[in-house]
Amino acid sequence: RALLWLGPVYLAGYLGLSGTWVLLALALWLCWGHNRRGKRDRLNAAFALLEDEREAVCRGLAARHLPAWVHFPDVERVEWLNKVLIQAWPYVGTIMEKTFKEVLEPKIRAKNVHLKTCTFTKIHFGEKCPRINGIKAYTKEIGRRQVTLDLQICYIGDCEIHMDISKFNLGVKGVQLYGTLRVILEPLLTDAPFVGAVTLFFMQKPHLEINWAGMSNLLDVPGINVMSDSLIQDFIAARLVLPNRITVPLKKNINIAHLRFPIPQGVIRVHLLEAENLVQKDNFLGAIRGKSDPYALLRVGTVQYRSKTVSRDLNPIWNETFEFVVHEVPGQDLEVDLYDEDPDKDDFMGSLLIGLVDVMNDRTVDEWFPLSKTTSGHLHLKLEWLSLVNDQEKLHEDKKGLSTAILIVYLDSAFNLPKNHFEYSNGDCGAKKIKNNKYLKKMEREPSSFVLLTVGNKTQKSKTCNFSKDPTWGQAFTFFVHSAHSQSLHVEIKDKERDSALGTSVVCLSHLLKDPNMTLDQRFQLDHSSSDSFIKMKLVLRALNVEEPDPQRVKAGVSASKQGPVRVMEKSGNQQKFVSPPEDPKVPPVSKDSAAIESLTKKDSGEDLDTKDSSAPAPSETVAGPDGAEHKQNPEHCPPSAPHNGAAAVPTLPVVQELRLAPSVTSLGSLPSSCFELSSSNLDIHNGTEMPLGEIQLTVRYASIRQSLVVLVNSCRNLVPSSNRGVDPYVRIYLLPDRRWTSRKKTSVKKKTLNPQYDEKFEFFESLENVKKRTLDIAVKNSRPFISQERKELGKVRIDLSQEDLIKGFAQW
């Protein structure tokens, strides 16, 4: 073996080659070995987790390695199903081996003349069966005649498959596959088998890793391994990833065309506006930091767009618009990744994941989103949900050049295609005489055809049907339409072998407008082809419509519209009356960086509710209280202190029954504890004087679109000074039981004031289920000098989040 390894070195010296070639070959061999060892180690680690999941979990794996049912209660752990799979796997493996030998092997041999010697020499699917890590069932978001399940598939297989092609041995020895497989049972029937058809597809590209064997080991060579893995993933995506589906009918005579190609649920229009405070990635000699050249990658499913690159700017402005077709909601998300463009490798600058369910419900979202997986940075997006409507009045041309409609093309099949483009010329039969018999035999073969579909400047290509004059494609395509009255669909059928046109057709979209349903389902005559050559398609045109949000519906997203003025409740005896707060012209405007109530409107999840006082000039926020009632507040015009008659200002309530107050306790020496709660609707809390105890105004809600708890510290009032020199108050926040210094949130310090105005926002990125188990610990503290005898803590309050409706949120003193 040593002589064998030294052979290339001796050969390089014998031929007089440079030593650089030897070093290059050595580096390539080392990289190949590293890739092989990495794959083997990952496979062994996955096997260890599969063997004893309990021990692996208890050992404290990273959260991203834990199965989904640990994090999300709506994802059910189905161990009974995994036990059934373990018992049935040997029989499934036997069926698959028979399928490979009797079905797949003949098909591979028929693909190409060089594959006629293809033979499977070993087929063994191993002892490890696929595992279902969790199942999530949807009931409320779907129709009554279907069942939708999301299966989180994990296959860590020890399968071994070998095949010989012309004395070359190729093989696979171990596979890892992770992904979310959606299963739709539709339609539900009243008679056996009770389900008409089963539809299967992956929501996103599954993660696939193959451990090669034999000559296939060459695919692990650096550079080739990335290309080979991406080709295999693209092959799977073209058949099993949205919008592609596999539909299996379970009952005879059932039409599955509308199940395989349903009309999309809508279109998401993304306005990529700007970003701020991005991280610096460019550097000179590893020390001098410079500005970055950011660009954005936006993805929904398999469709990806790239924005332009803004050179040397950490606060880039793009002002670009992208449109995505959304096929499945819930399920599909908008993914945004920011990168710094470099000559060698682009640096990652942060990412963002937005659930499209909330955008669909809110219709329009215009917010600053914090970037995750980075230290700083916010991204400003405006998202519009466009529903698909069957209304020709909505098909007016957009002055900004945006799409006004969507064209859905269901490409079915073609009939009587010519064998070659010489056989027919402009529709007239004219056989061409070719003297060479070899070419004549090739011309007489059935065509391998594919279709090019073009609308405007976008062209899409179908799959290729080999050796058939009556090909059946069975695919769906979508196109954005800017002017339905003037644009056309261009169809061209081409032969893959000779790259020649077998027929063309042009369909004006204005013909669809003559049909009340804007639909055409028919055969279209092919031009430049035989007189009896047709192509069968179904064309569906739908207008894009931005619906106005329902003013009575509580928004589930992260935006709330500004509406009428603030109203506070003033108490006098047993009677209550509503008064408008006095305006304070000295209060500075809210800036974007301070993340004040303006941020609650555009970054946090406020409520979109109507106000009766529509003529009020001053804007305000609409926030829902803990009991679901509507509250109005305006931090810019909030009174700096409470009224002198001892009344406490509370949010407006239609019927005040019970309001949970969590006041700050200003005198730590007079009370044994500073953490307590009071439940009353008409309490005046005093500390032995005519003035009420200090209070803090908080706005708390859960932003479902960002999966975070948002705490907005608005202001404090009536703080009791801890010394004669005054106090410099700030607010400290913990999400108990986490008391780590790194998880502490802290506002800025306000100098020499008893009524500080903060308007600062803090976020805790936790799931709603975890937040419901936590307690919010908020303390108002004095920024005292070092080694000072002054009291540091001015008051504290704890809020049990399990008792609050965090989706609606609450805002109160």
Side-chain angles (χ1 to χ4, degrees):
R1 178 174 294 182
L3 292 176
L4 184 63
W5 287 116
L6 291 175
V9 181
Y10 172 79
L11 185 62
Y14 180 78
L15 297 177
L17 299 178
S18 171
T20 306
W21 291 101
V22 178
L23 295 178
L24 183 63
L26 181 61
L28 194 64
W29 175 75
L30 290 175
C31 291
W32 173 82
H34 179 269
N35 287 341
R36 293 286 302 159
R37 287 191 300 272
K39 276 192 175 183
R40 195 178 300 112
D41 292 343
R42 287 192 295 270
L43 189 63
N44 292 335
F47 277 141
L49 177 61
L50 192 66
E51 288 292 339
D52 194 346
E53 185 184 22
R54 181 186 298 274
E55 182 182 351
V57 171
C58 295
R59 209 179 294 138
L61 288 177
R64 59 188 178 92
H65 290 154
L66 295 178
W69 57 264
V70 175
H71 303 286
F72 310 107
D74 55 347
V75 178
E76 301 178 19
R77 185 178 185 182
V78 285
E79 282 304 308
W80 63 269
L81 183 57
N82 290 320
K83 293 177 181 178
V84 171
L85 288 176
I86 291 174
Q87 291 295 105
W89 183 245
Y91 305 96
V92 174
T94 302
I95 296 174
M96 294 295 293
E97 293 172 11
K98 185 178 180 181
T99 303
F100 267 62
K101 290 293 293 183
E102 298 180 0
V103 179
L104 187 59
E105 187 176 291
K107 286 188 176 181
I108 295 176
R109 290 180 175 181
K111 282 286 184 180
N112 194 290
V113 64
H114 301 290
L115 300 177
K116 286 186 177 181
T117 59
C118 172
T119 304
F120 285 101
T121 57
K122 183 178 182 180
I123 303 175
H124 179 58
F125 279 85
E127 304 298 329
K128 311 297 182 184
C129 70
R131 178 178 175 81
I132 310 297
N133 280 339
I135 292 181
K136 182 175 181 178
Y138 296 93
T139 54
K140 297 180 181 179
E141 303 89 347
I142 60 176
R144 296 285 296 175
R145 293 203 63 188
Q146 73 176 46
V147 175
T148 300
L149 305 172
D150 280 351
L151 279 66
Q152 299 186 359
I153 304 294
C154 170
Y155 177 49
I156 308 168
D158 56 347
C159 61
E160 191 169 358
I161 302 174
H162 293 269
M163 62 186 299
D164 285 343
I165 301 178
S166 300
K167 298 182 180 180
F168 290 102
N169 180 263
L170 308 176
V172 172
K173 192 174 183 179
V175 175
Q176 291 190 61
L177 176 68
Y178 306 94
T180 300
L181 180 69
R182 174 157 291 189
V183 180
I184 300 178
L185 309 177
E186 184 185 12
L188 301 181
L189 307 175
T190 56
D191 54 347
F194 306 111
V195 177
V198 179
T199 302
L200 307 170
F201 55 87
F202 282 98
M203 300 299 300
Q204 307 285 347
K205 279 186 180 181
H207 171 76
L208 178 65
E209 191 166 338
I210 300 176
N211 193 22
W212 301 104
M215 291 292 294
S216 304
N217 276 327
L218 294 177
L219 296 178
D220 284 332
V221 173
I224 299 179
N225 62 336
V226 177
M227 184 176 63
S228 62
D229 291 345
S230 63
L231 286 176
I232 295 173
Q233 290 186 356
D234 291 341
F235 178 81
I236 296 175
R239 288 156 177 81
L240 275 175
V241 180
L242 270 179
N244 306 295
R245 306 164 183 247
I246 292 181
T247 302
V248 181
L250 302 181
K251 189 173 183 179
K252 295 181 179 179
N253 303 324
I254 186 170
N255 184 15
I256 63 172
H258 70 284
L259 300 178
R260 291 187 61 195
F261 311 113
I263 294 179
Q265 296 201 13
V267 170
I268 180 73
R269 180 175 289 164
V270 182
H271 300 274
L272 179 64
L273 302 178
E274 55 185 324
E276 65 175 6
N277 298 330
L278 299 181
V279 293
Q280 298 176 342
K281 289 294 183 179
D282 291 340
N283 58 75
F284 180 70
L285 298 177
I288 304 175
R289 307 290 289 182
K291 294 185 177 180
S292 301
D293 306 318
Y295 69 90
L297 292 179
L298 300 94
R299 283 186 304 277
V300 173
T302 57
V303 180
Q304 176 174 293
Y305 293 112
R306 172 175 170 164
S307 71
K308 63 183 179 183
T309 301
V310 180
S311 300
R312 301 184 58 77
D313 197 346
L314 298 179
N315 300 285
I317 298 177
W318 288 287
N319 288 329
E320 294 185 77
T321 302
F322 305 93
E323 294 172 326
F324 298 91
V325 179
V326 182
H327 297 272
E328 287 290 326
V329 175
Q332 289 190 290
D333 300 320
L334 171 64
E335 303 173 61
V336 184
D337 293 329
L338 294 185
Y339 288 92
D340 170 33
E341 187 176 52
D342 287 324
D344 48 357
K345 182 181 179 181
D346 296 344
D347 297 320
F348 178 74
M349 302 180 68
S351 65
L352 186 63
L353 182 67
I354 299 177
L356 297 182
V357 177
D358 298 323
V359 180
M360 182 182 68
N361 294 333
D362 294 345
R363 303 299 178 185
T364 301
V365 176
D366 188 354
E367 300 179 14
W368 283 88
F369 295 92
L371 296 174
S372 59
K373 301 178 183 178
T374 185
T375 56
S376 68
H378 285 76
L379 185 63
H380 188 191
L381 297 177
K382 181 181 179 182
L383 310 175
E384 293 179 308
W385 178 265
L386 308 176
S387 56
L388 308 183
V389 296
N390 186 8
D391 187 358
Q392 298 188 15
E393 296 181 357
K394 303 289 185 181
L395 290 174
H396 57 276
E397 291 192 23
D398 192 282
K399 296 181 180 180
K400 298 180 181 180
L402 300 175
S403 303
T404 59
I406 184 175
L407 176 66
I408 308 162
V409 181
Y410 301 102
L411 179 62
D412 188 358
S413 56
F415 307 93
N416 297 320
L417 293 181
K419 294 180 180 179
N420 54 75
H421 72 290
F422 296 117
E423 187 174 348
Y424 297 97
S425 176
N426 295 326
D428 300 327
C429 180
K432 302 293 182 179
K433 295 182 180 180
I434 303 176
K435 296 180 180 180
N436 194 326
N437 291 332
K438 183 175 68 173
Y439 290 104
L440 180 62
K441 183 178 292 187
K442 189 175 181 180
M443 288 294 184
E444 290 178 350
R445 193 168 56 191
E446 299 290 344
S448 299
S449 56
F450 63 91
V451 182
L452 296 178
L453 303 165
T454 304
V455 174
N457 58 358
K458 183 177 181 181
T459 300
Q460 298 191 53
K461 180 181 177 182
S462 73
K463 65 181 181 182
T464 301
C465 291
N466 294 317
F467 313 126
S468 176
K469 68 174 183 178
D470 299 319
T472 300
W473 294 283
Q475 289 181 274
F477 305 90
T478 57
F479 296 90
F480 287 106
V481 177
H482 299 275
S483 175
H485 297 85
S486 59
Q487 287 187 281
S488 302
L489 169 66
H490 295 262
V491 182
E492 183 179 13
I493 303 179
K494 305 191 75 173
D495 188 357
K496 177 185 176 182
E497 296 283 334
R498 295 170 289 274
D499 198 23
S500 57
L502 303 177
T504 61
S505 179
V506 179
V507 181
C508 295
L509 301 187
S510 58
H511 293 165
L512 280 78
L513 302 180
K514 299 177 182 179
D515 186 87
N517 294 324
M518 294 193 292
T519 302
L520 287 180
D521 188 1
Q522 65 184 53
R523 293 184 178 186
F524 296 89
Q525 173 72 48
L526 289 175
D527 299 326
H528 308 289
S529 185
S530 172
S531 58
D532 58 348
S533 296
F534 298 89
I535 185 171
K536 184 179 180 182
M537 297 184 297
K538 181 179 180 181
L539 310 180
V540 179
L541 186 66
R542 290 292 181 266
L544 302 181
N545 179 43
V546 181
E547 298 181 9
E548 294 296 330
D550 184 6
Q552 300 298 328
R553 192 190 68 81
V554 176
K555 276 198 171 187
V558 289
S559 63
S561 60
K562 290 187 174 182
Q563 302 191 9
V566 174
R567 298 186 179 185
V568 296
M569 185 173 63
E570 181 181 0
K571 290 184 292 184
S572 177
N574 295 328
Q575 298 190 2
Q576 301 170 349
K577 61 180 180 179
F578 298 106
V579 297
S580 297
E583 295 187 4
D584 187 1
K586 297 181 181 180
V587 177
V590 180
S591 65
K592 179 174 63 179
D593 294 332
S594 65
I597 295 291
E598 182 76 16
S599 303
L600 177 65
T601 302
K602 295 187 177 181
K603 293 184 183 178
D604 308 331
S605 302
E607 314 300 332
D608 188 15
L609 304 172
D610 272 346
T611 178
K612 296 180 180 179
D613 191 359
S614 60
S615 62
S620 72
E621 301 297 335
T622 306
V623 186
D627 56 353
E630 301 173 16
H631 306 308
K632 309 289 183 181
Q633 66 172 355
N634 188 345
E636 297 187 14
H637 306 290
C638 185
S641 62
H644 290 286
N645 57 1
V650 296
T652 302
L653 296 175
V655 180
V656 183
Q657 295 179 350
E658 179 174 332
L659 179 64
R660 295 180 63 250
L661 294 176
S664 300
V665 180
T666 58
S667 179
L668 297 181
S670 60
L671 291 174
S673 174
S674 63
C675 305
F676 64 92
E677 295 180 350
L678 296 175
S679 296
S680 178
S681 60
N682 54 357
L683 270 182
D684 288 330
I685 305 172
H686 299 272
N687 59 352
T689 67
E690 293 298 323
M691 294 299 294
L693 293 178
E695 293 177 299
I696 182 171
Q697 188 186 35
L698 300 173
T699 301
V700 181
R701 68 162 292 117
Y702 189 77
S704 57
I705 202 169
R706 291 199 305 277
Q707 299 289 308
S708 66
L709 176 70
V710 180
V711 180
L712 186 66
V713 181
N714 299 329
S715 59
C716 297
R717 65 185 180 189
N718 300 335
L719 299 179
V720 175
S722 59
S723 67
N724 293 331
R725 73 173 188 90
V727 295
D728 302 330
Y730 68 92
V731 180
R732 185 270 300 148
I733 305 175
Y734 281 125
L735 189 60
L736 300 181
D738 189 358
R739 285 185 173 274
R740 293 176 300 168
W741 182 83
T742 55
S743 62
R744 182 186 66 169
K745 309 293 184 183
K746 177 182 173 183
T747 67
S748 57
V749 178
K750 302 298 180 181
K751 297 290 186 181
K752 303 296 184 294
T753 177
L754 299 178
N755 300 285
Q757 186 85 16
Y758 296 103
D759 292 331
E760 296 187 34
K761 179 182 73 73
F762 303 96
E763 288 188 280
F764 297 89
F765 290 93
E766 296 282 349
S767 66
L768 181 59
E769 291 75 16
N770 289 341
V771 169
K772 281 287 189 179
K773 303 174 184 177
R774 313 288 279 272
T775 300
L776 203 60
D777 183 17
I778 299 173
V780 181
K781 296 192 174 186
N782 176 28
S783 179
R784 60 182 182 175
F786 186 64
I787 317 179
S788 173
Q789 299 299 321
E790 298 177 12
R791 188 176 70 246
K792 183 175 183 181
E793 193 164 278
L794 303 179
K796 183 188 291 185
V797 58
R798 284 184 180 174
I799 302 175
D800 186 2
L801 299 179
S802 64
Q803 306 298 323
E804 305 290 351
D805 188 349
L806 297 178
I807 295 298
K808 291 183 178 180
F810 62 89
Q812 65 189 70
W813 287 90

